[in-house]
PDB file of all heavy atoms in Angstrom:
ATOM      1  N   LEU A  76      71.525 110.159 136.502  1.00  0.00           N
ATOM      2  CA  LEU A  76      72.687 109.831 135.653  1.00  0.00           C
ATOM      3  C   LEU A  76      73.543 108.690 136.207  1.00  0.00           C
ATOM      4  O   LEU A  76      74.567 108.343 135.610  1.00  0.00           O
ATOM      5  CB  LEU A  76      73.551 111.077 135.454  1.00  0.00           C
ATOM      6  CG  LEU A  76      72.974 112.147 134.513  1.00  0.00           C
ATOM      7  CD1 LEU A  76      73.737 113.464 134.655  1.00  0.00           C
ATOM      8  CD2 LEU A  76      73.031 111.664 133.059  1.00  0.00           C
ATOM      9  N   ASN A  77      73.156 108.107 137.348  1.00  0.00           N
ATOM     10  CA  ASN A  77      74.059 107.170 138.013  1.00  0.00           C
ATOM     11  C   ASN A  77      74.503 106.005 137.137  1.00  0.00           C
ATOM     12  O   ASN A  77      75.671 105.601 137.163  1.00  0.00           O
ATOM     13  CB  ASN A  77      73.424 106.648 139.311  1.00  0.00           C
ATOM     14  CG  ASN A  77      73.250 107.756 140.328  1.00  0.00           C
ATOM     15  OD1 ASN A  77      72.568 108.742 140.061  1.00  0.00           O
ATOM     16  ND2 ASN A  77      73.871 107.630 141.481  1.00  0.00           N
ATOM     17  N   LYS A  78      73.598 105.467 136.343  1.00  0.00           N
ATOM     18  CA  LYS A  78      73.976 104.321 135.518  1.00  0.00           C
ATOM     19  C   LYS A  78      75.010 104.743 134.461  1.00  0.00           C
ATOM     20  O   LYS A  78      75.975 104.018 134.207  1.00  0.00           O
ATOM     21  CB  LYS A  78      72.732 103.723 134.855  1.00  0.00           C
ATOM     22  CG  LYS A  78      73.011 102.401 134.182  1.00  0.00           C
ATOM     23  CD  LYS A  78      71.741 101.621 133.881  1.00  0.00           C
ATOM     24  CE  LYS A  78      72.094 100.258 133.302  1.00  0.00           C
ATOM     25  NZ  LYS A  78      70.885  99.466 133.017  1.00  0.00           N
ATOM     26  N   PHE A  79      74.791 105.887 133.862  1.00  0.00           N
ATOM     27  CA  PHE A  79      75.738 106.422 132.878  1.00  0.00           C
ATOM     28  C   PHE A  79      77.087 106.729 133.540  1.00  0.00           C
ATOM     29  O   PHE A  79      78.153 106.434 132.987  1.00  0.00           O
ATOM     30  CB  PHE A  79      75.129 107.680 132.242  1.00  0.00           C
ATOM     31  CG  PHE A  79      75.956 108.324 131.171  1.00  0.00           C
ATOM     32  CD1 PHE A  79      76.412 107.603 130.066  1.00  0.00           C
ATOM     33  CD2 PHE A  79      76.272 109.683 131.249  1.00  0.00           C
ATOM     34  CE1 PHE A  79      77.166 108.216 129.075  1.00  0.00           C
ATOM     35  CE2 PHE A  79      77.024 110.302 130.251  1.00  0.00           C
ATOM     36  CZ  PHE A  79      77.474 109.562 129.165  1.00  0.00           C
ATOM     37  N   LEU A  80      77.043 107.283 134.741  1.00  0.00           N
ATOM     38  CA  LEU A  80      78.280 107.593 135.471  1.00  0.00           C
ATOM     39  C   LEU A  80      79.098 106.331 135.701  1.00  0.00           C
ATOM     40  O   LEU A  80      80.321 106.322 135.560  1.00  0.00           O
ATOM     41  CB  LEU A  80      77.960 108.239 136.826  1.00  0.00           C
ATOM     42  CG  LEU A  80      77.234 109.587 136.800  1.00  0.00           C
ATOM     43  CD1 LEU A  80      76.903 110.039 138.212  1.00  0.00           C
ATOM     44  CD2 LEU A  80      78.071 110.635 136.094  1.00  0.00           C
ATOM     45  N   GLU A  81      78.418 105.259 136.039  1.00  0.00           N
ATOM     46  CA  GLU A  81      79.091 104.000 136.350  1.00  0.00           C
ATOM     47  C   GLU A  81      79.784 103.402 135.121  1.00  0.00           C
ATOM     48  O   GLU A  81      80.744 102.634 135.254  1.00  0.00           O
ATOM     49  CB  GLU A  81      78.047 103.012 136.899  1.00  0.00           C
ATOM     50  CG  GLU A  81      78.658 101.720 137.396  1.00  0.00           C
ATOM     51  CD  GLU A  81      77.682 100.899 138.225  1.00  0.00           C
ATOM     52  OE1 GLU A  81      76.463 101.156 138.149  1.00  0.00           O
ATOM     53  OE2 GLU A  81      78.156 100.005 138.958  1.00  0.00           O
ATOM     54  N   MET A  82      79.300 103.736 133.925  1.00  0.00           N
ATOM     55  CA  MET A  82      79.820 103.109 132.707  1.00  0.00           C
ATOM     56  C   MET A  82      81.232 103.568 132.347  1.00  0.00           C
ATOM     57  O   MET A  82      81.944 102.880 131.617  1.00  0.00           O
ATOM     58  CB  MET A  82      78.861 103.374 131.547  1.00  0.00           C
ATOM     59  CG  MET A  82      77.515 102.678 131.742  1.00  0.00           C
ATOM     60  SD  MET A  82      76.274 103.207 130.534  1.00  0.00           S
ATOM     61  CE  MET A  82      76.743 102.203 129.117  1.00  0.00           C
ATOM     62  N   GLY A  83      81.632 104.728 132.816  1.00  0.00           N
ATOM     63  CA  GLY A  83      83.023 105.133 132.626  1.00  0.00           C
ATOM     64  C   GLY A  83      83.317 105.849 131.319  1.00  0.00           C
ATOM     65  O   GLY A  83      82.443 106.028 130.468  1.00  0.00           O
ATOM     66  N   ARG A  84      84.580 106.238 131.191  1.00  0.00           N
ATOM     67  CA  ARG A  84      85.000 107.142 130.127  1.00  0.00           C
ATOM     68  C   ARG A  84      84.702 106.654 128.708  1.00  0.00           C
ATOM     69  O   ARG A  84      84.297 107.463 127.852  1.00  0.00           O
ATOM     70  CB  ARG A  84      86.480 107.513 130.283  1.00  0.00           C
ATOM     71  CG  ARG A  84      86.905 108.723 129.437  1.00  0.00           C
ATOM     72  CD  ARG A  84      88.142 109.419 129.975  1.00  0.00           C
ATOM     73  NE  ARG A  84      87.999 109.787 131.361  1.00  0.00           N
ATOM     74  CZ  ARG A  84      87.376 110.890 131.802  1.00  0.00           C
ATOM     75  NH1 ARG A  84      86.826 111.732 130.944  1.00  0.00           N
ATOM     76  NH2 ARG A  84      87.316 111.144 133.090  1.00  0.00           N
ATOM     77  N   PRO A  85      84.875 105.380 128.386  1.00  0.00           N
ATOM     78  CA  PRO A  85      84.556 104.965 127.013  1.00  0.00           C
ATOM     79  C   PRO A  85      83.104 105.288 126.644  1.00  0.00           C
ATOM     80  O   PRO A  85      82.837 105.807 125.554  1.00  0.00           O
ATOM     81  CB  PRO A  85      84.803 103.454 127.041  1.00  0.00           C
ATOM     82  CG  PRO A  85      85.818 103.258 128.125  1.00  0.00           C
ATOM     83  CD  PRO A  85      85.491 104.286 129.169  1.00  0.00           C
ATOM     84  N   ALA A  86      82.174 105.045 127.548  1.00  0.00           N
ATOM     85  CA  ALA A  86      80.764 105.387 127.283  1.00  0.00           C
ATOM     86  C   ALA A  86      80.585 106.901 127.195  1.00  0.00           C
ATOM     87  O   ALA A  86      79.840 107.406 126.350  1.00  0.00           O
ATOM     88  CB  ALA A  86      79.868 104.810 128.382  1.00  0.00           C
ATOM     89  N   TRP A  87      81.278 107.636 128.072  1.00  0.00           N
ATOM     90  CA  TRP A  87      81.144 109.103 128.080  1.00  0.00           C
ATOM     91  C   TRP A  87      81.659 109.691 126.766  1.00  0.00           C
ATOM     92  O   TRP A  87      81.060 110.611 126.217  1.00  0.00           O
ATOM     93  CB  TRP A  87      81.922 109.724 129.256  1.00  0.00           C
ATOM     94  CG  TRP A  87      81.581 109.138 130.596  1.00  0.00           C
ATOM     95  CD1 TRP A  87      80.455 108.447 130.948  1.00  0.00           C
ATOM     96  CD2 TRP A  87      82.405 109.183 131.773  1.00  0.00           C
ATOM     97  NE1 TRP A  87      80.530 108.063 132.268  1.00  0.00           N
ATOM     98  CE2 TRP A  87      81.709 108.500 132.795  1.00  0.00           C
ATOM     99  CE3 TRP A  87      83.653 109.726 132.069  1.00  0.00           C
ATOM    100  CZ2 TRP A  87      82.229 108.348 134.084  1.00  0.00           C
ATOM    101  CZ3 TRP A  87      84.179 109.585 133.347  1.00  0.00           C
ATOM    102  CH2 TRP A  87      83.467 108.900 134.350  1.00  0.00           C
TER     103      TRP A  87
END
Side-chain angles (χ1 to χ4, degrees):
Chain A
L76 287 166
N77 294 59
K78 190 163 184 179
F79 182 54
L80 297 176
E81 186 166 17
M82 294 170 81
R84 195 157 306 278
W87 307 339

